[in-house]
Amino acid sequence: MDKNELIAKINSVLANEFEVEESTITPEGNIKNVLQLDSLSLVDMIALIEDEFGVEIKGQSVSQVKTFQNLYDFVYDKTNA
């Protein structure tokens, strides 16, 4: 899957799960703010991404993924390693 396809899939999955308009998800957007996540729903989002893309987001990686661009890059790097 190329990066643009990956980004489209991530946006679609997150928009459906967290009931936001896909257009509100932008690369520079803060994940917690855009998706209105509290700490519990952040865990849900991480589990969703892990299940959907077969990657693990653990420990310090979680704190480094603040924007959607960070998430795109992280998932892309992990799936193409």
Side-chain angles (χ1 to χ4, degrees):
M1 171 178 323
D2 76 16
K3 195 161 189 178
N4 289 331
E5 292 171 331
L6 179 82
I7 289 169
K9 186 169 181 179
I10 289 172
N11 289 351
S12 175
V13 166
L14 293 177
N16 288 334
E17 180 68 24
F18 294 99
E19 299 177 353
V20 298
E21 291 294 323
E22 219 172 301
S23 62
T24 64
I25 300 174
T26 60
E28 66 279 351
N30 180 287
I31 294 171
K32 286 183 181 180
N33 294 341
V34 172
L35 300 180
Q36 301 175 349
L37 302 179
D38 58 21
S39 56
L40 183 57
S41 46
L42 177 62
V43 172
D44 291 342
M45 187 217 61
I46 291 168
L48 177 67
I49 294 295
E50 288 178 337
D51 289 346
E52 191 72 35
F53 296 96
V55 299
E56 283 189 19
I57 307 173
K58 300 228 181 246
Q60 193 171 1
S61 297
V62 172
S63 63
Q64 293 174 345
V65 176
K66 296 184 185 320
T67 67
F68 290 100
Q69 187 65 56
N70 298 147
L71 181 62
Y72 304 150
D73 292 341
F74 181 87
V75 174
Y76 184 77
D77 290 346
K78 290 290 187 180
T79 57
N80 288 288

